[in-house]
Amino acid sequence: MYNDEYINVKLQRPIKSNNYINLKSENGFVIFSFDGYLKEMDKLIVNEIVITLGDNDSIAIKDKNDYILYSFGNNDNIYISSIDEFEPIVKVENDRYRDYLTFIRNGNKIDVINYVSLNHYLYGVVPREMPSTFPLEALKAQAIASRTFALKNINKHIKEGYNLCDSTDCQVYGGYDSETEITNRAVDETIGIVLKYNNELIEASYHSNSGGYTEDSVNVWGISYPYLKAVEDEFSVGLPNSNWQIILSSSDIRNRLLKNNINIGEIVSLTPTEILGNGRVVKLKIVGTNGEIILEKDKIRQVFGYSDIKSNWFDIRKING
């Protein structure tokens, strides 16, 4: 169980253009159709191909000389892999990925999806979420948490045509080039192991640093999970990310709000209006020249960026000048 499952992961990190994607494979490519199972359709005996926009809402596969080798639409469910059947690896721009690639055309852009086995996906996740220099048992714990997180959130982006993405919105996934021997071993030695509560997969959220104290899930997402309660975390104190800061201009803040479809004009002030006893901000009031908004709980980090706002445990200081 949980060993042979395949998932669709949208690739964002390696993509340089939304409508022109370079693929490379040392031994050429195999084209499959998918209707419950993969069926070989054709072989392309070339080392490099380009996935680009075709006519009439189609997607075209071209060679380096701009000659069309194959054309298909979204409903054709076409998948591409390397001819190497023992370890099929395809290079997408500058990064390599295992298993299969498929593509979804959305207007004038193409989404690139890695159709990858769960274990191969975890090969590319664990070393991006925990340094491979950590002890093997710690890496195993990360592998179990990441496997559980992936399966619990398997339908997060299903309406968009894929399961997960390769960013911090889901889990950071680096593909084949991120793999290391010890992190692959951690995945292999925990194969099939997941975390459950009352026989259900848990919300296996994790962090790099808690700042010294974790938080109740109800104060983050508004949902109380009995296995996600606030506890003291002495192991985080004094380590990277236990203290952090970010400097944002008024225009930075406005742009981040606009990206989330929030337009309140020029930014006038930011004020925490509700703070928990441990110092974490539950409500953040933002006043602009055209209105105001209150961001609550995890929405604060979602809007401002999970990588920049590392937790809700922060205070705000205005820099004059």
Side-chain angles (χ1 to χ4, degrees), residues 57-276:
D57 293 327
S58 68
I59 297 173
I61 303 175
K62 297 182 178 182
D63 64 15
K64 291 197 304 181
N65 298 317
D66 208 35
Y67 179 80
I68 296 178
L69 303 173
Y70 206 90
S71 182
F72 59 94
N74 285 344
N75 293 332
D76 294 325
N77 292 323
I78 294 299
Y79 288 68
I80 295 176
S81 187
S82 166
I83 280 181
D84 189 345
E85 59 182 297
F86 297 105
E87 193 173 49
I89 295 170
V90 175
K91 194 170 189 179
V92 181
E93 300 298 347
N94 296 322
D95 300 315
R96 293 176 292 175
Y97 293 88
R98 291 181 181 268
D99 300 334
Y100 307 92
L101 296 167
T102 187
F103 308 89
I104 301 173
R105 177 164 178 170
N106 290 315
N108 289 322
K109 65 178 239 179
I110 299 172
D111 290 336
V112 183
I113 313 295
N114 186 194
Y115 183 61
V116 60
S117 75
L118 178 59
N119 269 18
H120 287 168
Y121 166 71
L122 294 173
Y123 282 175
V125 168
V126 174
R128 294 302 302 271
E129 293 288 1
M130 178 178 283
S132 60
T133 54
F134 276 30
L136 176 60
E137 295 306 311
L139 294 168
K140 286 182 181 180
Q142 180 64 59
I144 295 168
S146 290
R147 181 180 293 108
T148 306
F149 183 95
L151 292 168
K152 181 69 174 180
N153 291 276
I154 200 74
N155 291 320
K156 184 169 185 177
H157 292 286
I158 201 68
K159 292 181 180 179
E160 299 155 82
Y162 53 94
N163 300 115
L164 302 168
C165 65
D166 64 357
S167 74
T168 53
D169 180 56
C170 296
Q171 295 184 105
V172 180
Y173 169 59
Y176 183 79
D177 292 318
S178 294
E179 296 178 17
T180 71
E181 182 178 352
I182 191 169
T183 50
N184 285 5
R185 179 182 168 190
V187 173
D188 291 340
E189 292 189 7
T190 60
I191 192 167
I193 300 176
V194 293
L195 298 166
K196 289 186 174 184
Y197 180 84
N198 283 345
N199 208 34
E200 296 286 338
L201 290 168
I202 72 165
E203 291 288 350
S205 300
Y206 53 87
H207 54 260
S208 64
N209 195 299
S210 70
Y213 219 94
T214 65
E215 186 54 86
D216 279 6
S217 60
V218 70
N219 294 326
V220 181
W221 303 297
I223 303 172
S224 179
Y225 296 110
Y227 49 83
L228 291 179
K229 296 297 183 182
V231 295
E232 187 175 1
D233 174 22
E234 61 185 86
F235 301 102
S236 288
V237 177
L239 294 177
N241 295 326
S242 61
N243 291 288
W244 54 272
Q245 69 172 8
I246 181 173
I247 298 174
L248 297 172
S249 67
S250 295
S251 60
D252 289 334
I253 296 168
R254 186 184 184 195
N255 288 336
R256 295 187 189 215
L257 292 174
L258 288 173
K259 285 181 179 179
N260 286 271
N261 299 314
I262 301 170
N263 186 358
I264 56 173
E266 300 298 325
I267 304 304
V268 176
S269 65
L270 280 77
T271 308
T273 58
E274 184 176 338
I275 302 174
L276 297 175

Side-chain angles (χ1 to χ4, degrees), residues 20-48:
Y20 193 93
I21 301 101
N22 293 290
L23 304 183
K24 295 181 181 179
S25 170
E26 291 183 6
N27 300 310
F29 301 88
V30 184
I31 298 177
F32 299 89
S33 65
F34 185 83
D35 185 16
Y37 65 95
L38 290 164
K39 178 183 178 182
E40 184 176 323
M41 301 291 290
D42 202 356
K43 284 187 171 71
L44 303 178
I45 312 302
V46 292
N47 301 120
E48 298 181 29

Side-chain angles (χ1 to χ4, degrees), residues 11-23:
L11 302 181
Q12 301 172 99
R13 192 174 60 90
I15 305 306
K16 298 179 180 179
S17 168
N18 288 326
N19 52 35
Y20 193 93
I21 301 101
N22 293 290
L23 304 183

